[in-house]
């Protein structure tokens, strides 16, 4: 039997029993543990959910991820669970040569002033930071206004592993639809162990505020 909690406390036999699903609509620290028939407790598993206005929103992938790194598809980017330092964890979507191009429908217009996203870095495997970003906003899903259009510097030689957060601030305005294009690196620099190859860009957890 699996028992779980949503407040970070250790599960006990008195904690709710997991059947097939439960509802999350706010920040939560989920802990779950298995219990044998005699009450013996197994390992505890933990995940943190961080909710923002984009979490659980409808998301459309306008470009497909690389076939080996599709995992759960678009919802991975807005599920409230931030990817860790492993791009193979199933919590990142990987793009190669084709840019990550997504459109998010927040469900209603709201006042926003920032969009952010994370990239996983593992340079020895050609997993590098984004090459640039274009952010467009809309209230009706038809007319989009570009508010950010940036080209990022060449891949940082010193940043070998880790997670990078890119924050994209803009003038506060009403937004319902977000189109985010995260550009892949088409050619790795000469100092890389595979110069001239393309770079994989792994994206996770798009957030807004």
């Amino acid at each position: 039997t699996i028992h779980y909690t949503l407040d970070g406390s250790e599960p006990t036999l008195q904690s709710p029993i997991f059947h097939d699903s439960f509802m999350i609509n706010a920040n939560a620290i989920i802990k779950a543990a298995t219990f044998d028939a005699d009450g013996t407790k197994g390992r505890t598993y933990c995940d943190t959910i961080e909710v923002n206005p984009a979490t659980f929103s409808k998301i459309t992938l306008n470009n497909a991820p690389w076939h080996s790194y599709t995992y759960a598809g678009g919802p991975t980017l807005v599920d409230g669970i931030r990817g860790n330092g492993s791009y193979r964890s199933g919590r990142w979507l990987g793009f190669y040569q084709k840019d990550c191009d997504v459109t998010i429908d927040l469900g209603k217009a709201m006042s926003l002033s920032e969009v952010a996203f994370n990239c996983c870095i593992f340079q020895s495997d050609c997993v590098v930071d984004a090459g640039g970003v274009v952010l467009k906003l809309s209230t009706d899903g038809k007319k989009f206004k570009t508010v950010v259009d940036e080209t990022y510097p060449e891949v940082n030689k010193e940043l070998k592993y880790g997670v990078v957060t890119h924050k994209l601030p803009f003038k506060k305005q009403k937004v319902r639809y977000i189109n985010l294009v995260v550009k892949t690196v088409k050619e790795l620099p000469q100092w890389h162990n595979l110069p001239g190859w393309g770079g994989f860009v792994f994206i996770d957890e798009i957030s807004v505020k």
Side-chain angles (χ1 to χ4, degrees):
T1 304
I2 301 173
H3 291 263
Y4 70 94
T5 62
L6 301 179
D7 60 1
S9 61
E10 284 296 313
T12 68
L13 289 171
Q14 286 69 50
S15 302
I17 296 175
F18 174 78
H19 295 287
D20 57 1
S21 63
F22 53 85
M23 185 69 69
I24 293 289
N25 61 6
N27 292 349
I29 300 175
I30 304 170
K31 287 190 175 182
T34 56
F35 291 82
D36 292 339
D38 62 1
T40 302
K41 183 180 178 181
R43 178 181 173 185
T44 298
Y45 295 84
C46 180
D47 256 323
T48 299
I49 301 288
E50 297 178 355
V51 175
N52 67 85
T55 309
F56 314 130
S57 293
K58 180 181 178 180
I59 183 168
T60 302
L61 294 176
N62 303 314
N63 279 339
W66 185 252
H67 58 82
S68 300
Y69 302 111
T70 60
Y71 299 115
T76 303
L77 303 180
V78 289
D79 62 3
I81 305 175
R82 293 180 179 271
N84 56 20
S86 172
Y87 66 89
R88 297 188 181 97
S89 66
R91 296 183 175 178
W92 302 88
L93 297 189
F95 293 83
Y96 183 74
Q97 297 297 344
K98 292 190 298 184
D99 298 335
C100 171
D101 183 345
V102 302
T103 302
I104 298 173
D105 179 0
L106 299 174
K108 63 180 181 180
M110 58 186 71
S111 294
L112 300 176
S113 60
E114 183 181 280
V115 172
F117 65 94
N118 296 331
C119 287
C120 187
I121 311 296
F122 202 101
Q123 286 194 8
S124 59
D125 287 358
C126 299
V127 177
V128 297
D129 200 3
V133 63
V134 177
L135 175 64
K136 299 179 181 180
L137 308 175
S138 173
T139 56
D140 61 6
K142 298 176 181 179
K143 296 181 180 179
F144 283 81
K145 177 183 178 182
T146 300
V147 294
V148 177
D149 188 347
E150 298 177 347
T151 298
Y152 293 152
E154 184 182 85
V155 177
N156 186 342
K157 185 176 182 179
E158 304 304 319
L159 184 60
K160 296 181 179 180
Y161 311 102
V163 176
V164 174
T165 298
H166 292 282
K167 296 182 179 181
L168 311 175
F170 49 85
K171 184 178 179 180
K172 192 170 186 178
Q173 56 193 280
K174 288 285 187 179
V175 180
R176 174 172 173 174
Y177 298 90
I178 298 168
N179 177 237
L180 177 67
V181 177
V182 181
K183 299 179 181 179
T184 58
V185 175
K186 304 303 189 291
E187 187 174 321
L188 294 172
Q190 289 302 305
W191 56 257
H192 196 274
N193 56 306
L194 292 170
W197 284 44
F200 278 92
V201 173
F202 280 78
I203 311 297
D204 186 44
E205 221 45 38
I206 300 170
S207 61
V208 304
K209 67 178 185 179

